[in-house]
Coordinates of all heavy atoms in Angstrom, one line a residue:
I22 N -1.8 -9.5 -6.8 CA -0.6 -10.0 -7.4 C -0.1 -8.8 -8.2 O -0.8 -8.0 -8.8 CB -0.8 -11.1 -8.4 CG1 -1.6 -12.3 -7.7 CG2 0.5 -11.6 -9.0 CD1 -0.8 -12.9 -6.6
T23 N 1.2 -8.6 -8.1 CA 1.8 -7.4 -8.8 C 1.5 -7.4 -10.3 O 1.6 -8.4 -10.9 CB 3.3 -7.3 -8.5 OG1 3.8 -6.1 -9.1 CG2 4.1 -8.5 -9.1
A24 N 1.1 -6.2 -10.8 CA 0.8 -6.0 -12.2 C 2.1 -5.7 -13.0 O 2.2 -6.0 -14.1 CB -0.2 -4.9 -12.4
M25 N 3.1 -5.2 -12.3 CA 4.3 -4.8 -12.9 C 5.5 -5.0 -12.0 O 5.4 -4.7 -10.8 CB 4.3 -3.3 -13.3 CG 5.6 -2.8 -14.0 SD 5.5 -1.1 -14.5 CE 4.9 -0.3 -13.1
D26 N 6.5 -5.6 -12.5 CA 7.7 -5.9 -11.7 C 8.9 -5.5 -12.6 O 9.4 -6.2 -13.4 CB 7.8 -7.4 -11.3 CG 8.9 -7.6 -10.3 OD1 9.5 -6.6 -9.8 OD2 9.2 -8.8 -10.0
R27 N 9.3 -4.2 -12.4 CA 10.2 -3.6 -13.4 C 11.6 -3.6 -12.7 O 11.8 -3.0 -11.7 CB 9.8 -2.2 -13.7 CG 10.8 -1.5 -14.6 CD 10.4 -0.1 -14.8 NE 9.1 0.0 -15.5 CZ 8.5 1.2 -15.7 NH1 8.9 2.3 -15.2 NH2 7.3 1.2 -16.3
G28 N 12.6 -4.1 -13.4 CA 14.0 -4.0 -13.0 C 14.7 -2.9 -13.7 O 14.4 -2.7 -14.9
W29 N 15.6 -2.2 -13.1 CA 16.3 -1.1 -13.7 C 17.6 -1.5 -14.4 O 18.2 -0.8 -15.2 CB 16.6 0.0 -12.7 CG 15.4 0.9 -12.5 CD1 15.1 2.0 -13.3 CD2 14.4 0.8 -11.6 NE1 14.0 2.6 -12.8 CE2 13.5 1.8 -11.8 CE3 14.1 -0.1 -10.6 CZ2 12.3 2.0 -11.1 CZ3 13.0 0.1 -9.8 CH2 12.1 1.1 -10.1
C30 N 18.1 -2.7 -14.0 CA 19.3 -3.2 -14.7 C 19.2 -4.7 -14.7 O 18.4 -5.3 -14.0 CB 20.6 -2.7 -14.1 SG 21.0 -3.4 -12.5
F31 N 20.1 -5.4 -15.4 CA 20.0 -6.8 -15.5 C 21.0 -7.6 -14.7 O 21.0 -8.8 -14.7 CB 20.1 -7.2 -17.0 CG 19.0 -6.7 -17.8 CD1 19.2 -5.6 -18.7 CD2 17.7 -7.2 -17.8 CE1 18.2 -5.0 -19.5 CE2 16.7 -6.6 -18.5 CZ 16.9 -5.6 -19.4
G32 N 21.8 -6.8 -14.0 CA 22.9 -7.5 -13.2 C 22.4 -7.8 -11.8 O 21.4 -7.3 -11.3
Y33 N 23.1 -8.8 -11.1 CA 22.7 -9.2 -9.8 C 22.9 -8.1 -8.8 O 22.1 -8.0 -7.8 CB 23.5 -10.4 -9.4 CG 23.3 -10.9 -8.0 CD1 22.1 -11.6 -7.7 CD2 24.2 -10.7 -7.0 CE1 21.9 -12.0 -6.4 CE2 24.0 -11.1 -5.7 CZ 22.8 -11.8 -5.4 OH 22.6 -12.2 -4.1
T34 N 23.9 -7.3 -8.9 CA 24.2 -6.2 -7.9 C 23.3 -5.0 -8.0 O 23.3 -4.2 -7.2 CB 25.7 -5.8 -8.1 OG1 25.8 -5.3 -9.4 CG2 26.6 -6.9 -7.8
C35 N 22.5 -5.0 -9.1 CA 21.6 -3.8 -9.2 C 20.1 -4.3 -9.3 O 19.5 -4.2 -10.4 CB 22.0 -3.0 -10.5 SG 21.0 -1.6 -10.8
Q36 N 19.6 -4.7 -8.2 CA 18.2 -5.2 -8.3 C 17.3 -4.2 -7.6 O 17.2 -4.1 -6.4 CB 18.1 -6.6 -7.5 CG 18.9 -7.7 -8.1 CD 18.8 -8.9 -7.3 OE1 18.3 -8.9 -6.2 NE2 19.3 -10.0 -7.8
K37 N 16.6 -3.5 -8.4 CA 15.6 -2.5 -7.9 C 14.3 -2.9 -8.6 O 14.3 -3.1 -9.8 CB 16.0 -1.1 -8.2 CG 17.3 -0.6 -7.5 CD 17.0 -0.5 -6.1 CE 18.3 0.0 -5.3 NZ 18.1 0.0 -3.9

Side-chain angles (χ1 to χ4, degrees):
I22 307 297
T23 185
M25 177 175 55
D26 190 6
R27 178 187 294 172
W29 276 273
C30 73
F31 299 105
Y33 176 76
T34 59
C35 182
Q36 296 178 352
K37 295 290 181 187

